[in-house]
Every structure is written in C-alpha cells, then in structure tokens.
Amino acid sequence: MRDRIAQIPVGKVATYGQIAASLGDRLASRWIGEQLLHGPAAQQPAAHRVVRAGGELGLFHTGDPTDKQRLLESEGVVVVDGKVNLAEYEFCEFAGTAPLADLRKWQQELAERNRLSEMKRGPALVAGLDVSYDGDDGVVAYVLFDYATREMVWSHITRQPVLFPYITSYLSYRELPLHLSVLATAMQASRIADLLMIDGSGILHPRRSGIASMLSALTGLPTIGVTKKHLCGSYLASDLSADRFCDLHVEEKAGPTKLGAAILPTRKTKRPIFVSPGGLVSCDQAEALVSHFMVGKRLPTPIAAADRLSRQSITTG
DNA sequence: GCGACAG
DNA sequence: ATCTTGTCGC
C-alpha cells in the first residue's frame, strides 16, 4: 500500500477506498485508514493526500486534521468547508498488482473444493484453537478434549511472528500459519483431534471460505467455526434464543441458503455467538457438537480453553 | 445521520 | 485482537 500512496502526485488526492481498490478490494479501506493514522504509512511524505470518499479530509496522524488541510493547500489543493472537490483533484491512475484479488481467488478455489459431508462417526477427540497477540508475535493454543467426558487431554502452544494484517474477510491469511504450525506439532505428538473448533468463521463468510473452511480444506480434518461477532448472513433478532439455534441465510442464485446458525450462549445475554461448519461436517452436526460443549460460558469449552491458555502464555511470559 | 463487517 | 479504572450486579 505504501507504493500506492507514494504514487499520488503533488496537487492531487486519492480516497482510502480507491487505494484499497487498487490493491484488489475496497473493503480494505478501513485498514488503509488505520495504517495512515497509526501505522508506518503515516510517516510517508504523501500521507496527507488520502481523503474520504465524500471529499472530507478524514483523520490525520498528527491528531490535528487542520495539519492535513494546511499541507494540501500548500500543494495547491483547494479545501472548502473541510472538503476537497474530488472531481477536480482525485488521482485514479494507480499502477501495480492487486494482491487482495489473488488472495480472494485462492479462497474461492478452496471453497469450491470444500465439502460439507456428514461426519460418519462421532468424534472421540475435539480440539479448540485460538490466537492471542503479543506485539508482532501471535500465540496459538491447541487444547484437546475428550468428547465423551469433556475433559482436557492435552494442550500445546506455538508462538511465531505474524506477518499479515487484519483485514475483514482475510483473517485466514493472518492466522492460518499459526494454526498449521501448532497442528504440525500435535501431529508429531500423535495428538490430532477428530474435529477442530476454531475462533473464526467457517462457510459463514462472503466467499464461503472463512478460516475454519480453509483449515479443513488444507488439513482434511472436520472443522467448525465459532465467532462472537456477526460477519455475514441474515437472521431475525427476534428468533434468537438460548434454547435453540436460529438459522443464518444468504441469498444465492438457487435461493436462500443456510450457512450457519446463531444462539444465545446463556440465558442472561442478548449477544449471540455464530456457528458454521468449516468442512467435512454438516450444519446440523456443527450445531449439535457445539451445543455439547456449551456449559454456561460464552464460548464452547475447547475454544474457551484455548483462548485462556493463549492469553495466559502472554501474561506469564 | 445511521449502519458497521470474524480476529 | 489490543489498549485499560473503576464499577455495577449476582
């Protein structure tokens, strides 16, 4: 993205969304904004030449938006009522590849080869995975549980640098390397689960390719994705209940398609969690398997345990 | 102004 | 995800 910002000439501006679009996805505009405000991109000489889609200047890393206005005006850009006339000053001819488009394509390919077949046998061992962050490092915890007794059997933690930023719907590229590392270790220790529960989406994703889906496609293991926030799919808030799942649908050519389900984790909250199959399990199975591990906490036991373990490894050092 | 999109 | 003090409620 730095190279794109550097392309904006003196006397011109570009929008956050345009820069994101030139990288392959305008949904990455929030990330561009973050980098320009807090990240290293803020130090670029052309950082002030990026404005909002409506022409408003937007925030500036100095904390004072008038700094941004002064810099633009010193370059001949007219600012009226805090806005720039984009028709006159917008620069659009960005050069360069669109990496995000390639990453989307890869997700789509994995999604197409993904199967939601029923698990034929119930899992004997279920593992939860979750990631915490410590500066530039990511710490992933893998916690293995006995399905029947719900008791923890084994756990392992892996720490490694995280290279990819968090961009909505591209979470996989940030966290998948961590998951694959810890799974490799579990494999060597002969502690691989029959089913993985991941803190992230499964097919309940814009391209049906959340992190749980990609992990299933890459490992051949059944996976379920569980999130605390809504990513996509529609449901009726009035259907939310602590007693049963309510379906999340997405509009497709063939008609409304169920991609996942939501449930209130306890009777006392109004904030649901969202469950979707990653691969090699059905929606119904995913719901039943998650239910089995719902014991009054916000997340099912394996993920809750992985969350706690990865966090405490950071606090403890 | 409102709505808002995993971690 | 992470930054963070006191505070409300079971």
Side-chain angles (χ1 to χ4, degrees), chain A residues 16-99:
Chain A
Y16 297 101
Q18 276 302 317
I19 291 174
S22 101
L23 293 173
D25 193 338
R26 69 177 310 152
L27 286 183
S29 56
R30 293 175 305 278
W31 169 61
I32 303 292
E34 269 171 35
Q35 294 303 302
L36 247 13
L37 194 57
H38 301 298
Q43 305 309 318
Q44 287 189 243
H48 61 283
R49 297 178 196 145
V50 186
V51 302
R52 292 181 179 168
E56 301 92 2
L57 299 191
L59 303 177
F60 198 50
H61 66 83
T62 60
D64 185 1
T66 62
D67 289 338
K68 197 170 185 175
Q69 176 165 349
R70 266 194 292 277
L71 284 165
L72 285 172
E73 288 173 332
S74 76
E75 296 177 345
V77 175
V78 176
V79 181
V80 183
D81 293 336
K83 290 171 71 173
V84 172
N85 182 352
L86 291 178
E88 185 171 354
Y89 295 104
E90 187 174 22
F91 171 80
C92 298
E93 300 78 47
F94 286 106
T97 58

Side-chain angles (χ1 to χ4, degrees), chain A residues 40-284:
Chain A
Q43 305 309 318
Q44 287 189 243
H48 61 283
R49 297 178 196 145
V50 186
V51 302
R52 292 181 179 168
E56 301 92 2
L57 299 191
L59 303 177
F60 198 50
H61 66 83
T62 60
D64 185 1
T66 62
D67 289 338
K68 197 170 185 175
Q69 176 165 349
R70 266 194 292 277
L71 284 165
L72 285 172
E73 288 173 332
S74 76
E75 296 177 345
V77 175
V78 176
V79 181
V80 183
D81 293 336
K83 290 171 71 173
V84 172
N85 182 352
L86 291 178
E88 185 171 354
Y89 295 104
E90 187 174 22
F91 171 80
C92 298
E93 300 78 47
F94 286 106
T97 58
L100 292 179
D102 295 335
L103 298 184
R104 276 209 311 284
K105 196 175 175 185
W106 172 233
Q107 284 185 319
Q108 273 155 1
E109 284 172 13
L110 284 189
E112 281 162 22
R113 108 160 65 140
N114 197 21
R115 295 286 171 266
L116 295 183
S117 53
E118 293 255 334
M119 269 183 92
K120 302 201 170 158
R121 290 166 29 193
L125 295 170
V126 176
L129 292 97
D130 190 27
V131 177
S132 293
Y133 294 91
D134 185 12
D136 294 332
D137 281 350
V139 175
V140 61
Y142 172 97
V143 186
L144 189 64
F145 281 79
D146 182 292
Y147 179 84
T149 65
R150 298 189 184 80
E151 279 175 16
M152 189 195 292
V153 173
W154 189 76
S155 72
H156 188 79
I157 285 171
T158 296
R159 169 188 286 258
Q160 63 184 226
V162 172
L163 305 172
F164 199 85
Y166 173 70
I167 300 173
T168 297
S169 86
Y170 297 86
L171 173 68
S172 307
Y173 295 103
R174 182 170 172 80
E175 299 193 342
L176 221 33
L178 289 155
H179 288 156
L180 292 173
S181 300
V182 82
L183 283 172
T185 305
M187 183 74 89
Q188 287 165 21
S190 297
R191 296 289 194 171
I192 277 293
D194 307 306
L195 170 79
L196 267 25
M197 293 182 30
I198 289 103
D199 196 337
S201 295
I203 62 170
L204 189 58
H205 178 277
R207 296 175 287 285
R208 318 285 172 270
S209 199
I211 186 166
S213 304
M214 293 183 78
L215 197 56
S216 177
L218 293 175
T219 63
L221 291 169
T223 66
I224 297 173
V226 181
T227 68
K228 299 175 287 301
K229 288 182 184 168
H230 177 75
L231 174 60
C232 68
S234 56
Y235 65 101
L236 271 54
S238 58
D239 286 348
L240 285 175
S241 146
D243 301 315
R244 52 169 287 187
F245 282 90
C246 90
D247 296 350
L248 267 76
H249 291 94
V250 136
E251 205 56 50
E252 293 192 328
K253 290 178 184 175
T257 308
K258 174 178 174 179
L259 294 184
I263 195 168
L264 299 177
T266 71
R267 204 138 292 191
K268 298 178 183 177
T269 182
K270 285 187 81 173
R271 296 163 48 201
I273 60 169
F274 304 87
V275 175
S276 61
L280 303 176
V281 289
S282 67
C283 272
D284 287 348

